Amino acid sequence: MTTKVSVTKSEGRDARQKSLIPPDKLAECHAVVVGVGAVGRQVAIQLASMGLPSLSLIDFDDVEEANMGPQGYSPKEIGEPKVNAVHGTVAWLNPDCEVRIYNERFKRSEMTDYLSSNKKTQLVFCCVDSMESRMLVWETAKAANVDFFADARMAGEVLNTLVIPTPAKDVYYETTLFPDNDPGIHAGSCTTKSTIYTASIAAGLLMVGFALWLRGGVPARDTNFNLVTMEIG
C-alpha cells in the first residue's frame, strides 16, 4: 500500500526544523568540510539536508571497496574521487546547495579559496584521520578567523566530538592534540576501525552543536561517547 503525503505550497525544506535551525542564520553560512570519509561524508549530507547554501569539500582519496561499509559509498562510486561522489549525493539531496570540490590534500595556502567571499559566517568541519592533519586544519582555521570549528574522532564504537565557537579566542582545543606516534596516548590511526553508525552519530553530535550555536546557545565543547557501554561525558 502506498501512502501519499500532501505538502502545501507554504511548506519548504525547513518547515519542520526552523525553530531549531534558524533559516535566516543558516542562509548566511558556508561550510568547509575537510575529509569526506566516514564522518565527513555524513557531515556534508546532513548540512545539505538542513539547507546549508554552500559547501567546500576537500579530500584527496578515491572511493575504494572497503569504504562501502563504514563510509556509505555505493558500488558504482568505487574509483571516483570521494569529493565527486559526495558532491553527487549532496546535489541529489539539495540541488540549491552550491558545492566546490577540491580533490587534494588540505592546503594552508588555499584557505581563502576554500572559504566563501559572499557568506558572513564561515564554518570548518575537521574530519581527517591524523592529529598532524588536525593541527594543520586548526591552525589555518584559527588564523583565518573562522566563526565556528568542529572536529570528530572515532575508533570502532567510541567517538569524540569537539565544537569550538570563535576559534581565534580558544585555548582549549590544542590541549586535545597529541603526536600520532605517541603509543602512551594513542595506538593506531583514528580510523583504524570504523563503522557507519558511529560516524553517523558523531556527525549528528556535531550538527547538534552547530544548531545550538546558531540559536545563540553554548554547545558542549568536548564530548566522549562509548556506544558499547553507553557512557557519555
Side-chain angles (χ1 to χ4, degrees):
M1 183 173 118
T2 302
T3 302
K4 185 175 181 181
V5 179
S6 176
V7 180
T8 65
K9 289 184 179 179
S10 62
E11 291 183 322
R13 177 180 296 276
D14 62 355
R16 300 185 181 186
Q17 67 178 31
K18 60 178 63 177
S19 294
L20 297 173
I21 307 168
D24 55 335
K25 292 185 178 179
L26 185 66
E28 296 178 347
C29 294
H30 172 81
V32 177
V33 182
V34 187
V36 290
V39 177
R41 179 178 179 276
Q42 293 291 332
V43 165
I45 286 172
Q46 292 185 34
L47 287 171
S49 297
M50 282 182 183
L52 190 84
S54 64
L55 274 169
S56 290
L57 307 176
I58 306 163
D59 199 303
F60 63 92
D61 270 344
D62 294 339
V63 179
E64 299 178 356
E65 187 174 359
N67 300 143
M68 292 192 294
Q71 299 184 14
Y73 287 101
S74 71
K76 69 178 182 180
E77 292 170 329
I78 293 173
E80 269 192 75
K82 286 183 178 178
V83 288
N84 290 36
V86 175
H87 183 194
T89 302
V90 166
W92 175 64
L93 289 169
N94 182 2
D96 294 325
C97 183
E98 177 190 342
V99 182
R100 286 184 274 169
I101 58 175
Y102 301 85
N103 185 25
E104 62 188 27
R105 292 182 184 274
F106 178 87
K107 298 176 182 176
R108 190 191 304 268
S109 61
E110 297 297 316
M111 191 61 174
T112 301
D113 191 42
Y114 299 151
L115 298 172
S116 174
S117 60
N118 60 0
K119 296 297 178 185
K120 297 179 181 178
T121 306
Q122 307 287 345
L123 324 167
V124 173
F125 290 86
C126 182
C127 307
V128 296
D129 62 1
S130 75
M131 288 296 172
E132 183 179 0
S133 296
R134 283 187 173 89
M135 177 61 85
L136 173 62
V137 177
W138 167 253
E139 290 177 344
T140 307
K142 190 171 184 177
N145 200 29
V146 302
D147 301 284
F148 179 93
F149 182 91
D151 173 14
R153 309 168 188 180
M154 65 178 241
E157 295 172 319
V158 178
L159 63 91
N160 173 218
T161 58
L162 295 111
V163 177
I164 311 293
T166 321
K169 298 180 180 179
D170 181 76
V171 295
Y172 176 75
Y173 179 81
E174 288 182 25
T175 68
T176 72
L177 299 173
F178 46 82
D180 286 303
N181 60 357
D182 187 339
I185 304 177
H186 174 66
S189 165
C190 296
T191 55
T192 298
K193 296 181 180 179
S194 59
T195 57
I196 193 166
Y197 49 89
T198 308
S200 298
I201 293 168
L205 288 176
L206 295 185
M207 294 305 104
V208 170
F210 172 51
L212 179 58
W213 176 73
L214 274 185
R215 299 197 300 271
V218 179
R221 179 174 62 178
D222 190 344
T223 302
N224 293 282
F225 193 2
N226 186 319
L227 303 183
V228 177
T229 62
M230 294 306 291
E231 293 176 324
I232 188 167

